[in-house]
Amino acid sequence: SLIGNFTIQIQESTMAEKKTVFVTGGAGFIGLHVVEQLLERDWKVRIFDNMWRGDRDRANALASTGLVDVIDQDVRSGAAVAAAMRGSSRVIHLAADSINKSVADTYSSLDVNVVGSNNVFSTAADQGIERVVYASSASVYGDPLKLPMHEDDALSPLTPYCIGKRTGEDLLRYYERKSGLNWIALRFFNVYGPGQKTTAYYTSVINHFVNRLRNGEAPVIDGKGEQSMDFIHVKDIARAVVLAVEAPQGNASINVGTGIDTSVAQLARILIDAIGADVEPQFNPRDVLVSRRAADTTRAKEMLGFEYSIEVGPGMTDLIRYEAAQGEKA
């Protein structure tokens, strides 16, 4: 029947319209949250991950839907990147070595974070990719001179990781000038949430407090606990990434944070309440270099329509419950 044929044609054209997003580091902590949200927005996804820190089982489970390809490869191989990216229309580049790793093994870190990023960006430029979304970091600012931290503030990265992230942004600007590449660099603030590796440098303070509280011990805070971070939930981060993939305007660095600086003393109080412990924080009086973090979120709102949705109190409480549930399963 005509109606039957018409229906089939619509289904076929809808499948043809499903464009593919190429996601490096797509099997990692942030990557898996991003992939799930891309699927909700009707994108097809190609995960490109060397699985060094990736969750192979979860990536394979997503692949079983038929909407996700998983390619077990490394961004340091330009040929592998070029072959795997073909046929994609957008690129999300999340793959990176961590801050701790960059200090311990600078050569490997710059190989992944600079050479690997250049492989992704130069290939995207060559293949006419419509938009590259890059996971940069608030660490490009170094120790800020004022709060909130604005995208146009001076950059003063302090570790090879942070230097690599700033270099990534510089490379994107180079390929914009050279080839017209369209890009957005998202400067992530302090990401936390379920499934996070405990090795992330700023999660160590969360883990330290939680472990002490679970043992019935008070969290110990250096100095007055005035050091602060802008904690943003991984689900909000993933939403910002997807909005950046689809945003009408590009070619900008954009902060992704809440705009709220949560001090270490406040964090201890949130975790005490979340665990329901009957203790008071202990302060270890000593001189501490007080670094504070809070994002200026104006550009994220204007360019992406992004505002955070998960408050740090409920977010941390959910994280504690999730980890307790995982512990019971183990």
Side-chain angles (χ1 to χ4, degrees), residues 32-50:
L32 287 164
H33 286 277
V34 169
V35 170
E36 284 167 3
Q37 292 195 29
L38 285 168
L39 294 175
E40 285 168 16
R41 301 279 300 159
D42 267 349
W43 291 93
K44 287 178 75 175
V45 179
R46 191 169 300 148
I47 291 173
F48 184 95
D49 199 304
N50 67 3

Side-chain angles (χ1 to χ4, degrees), residues 8 14-15 75 82-83 140 151 166 179 186-187 217 232 268 314:
I8 289 165
T14 309
M15 281 304 290
V75 290
V140 295
E151 289 88 352
R166 183 180 67 179
S179 312
L186 298 176
R187 292 177 181 166
E217 299 168 334
I232 177 146

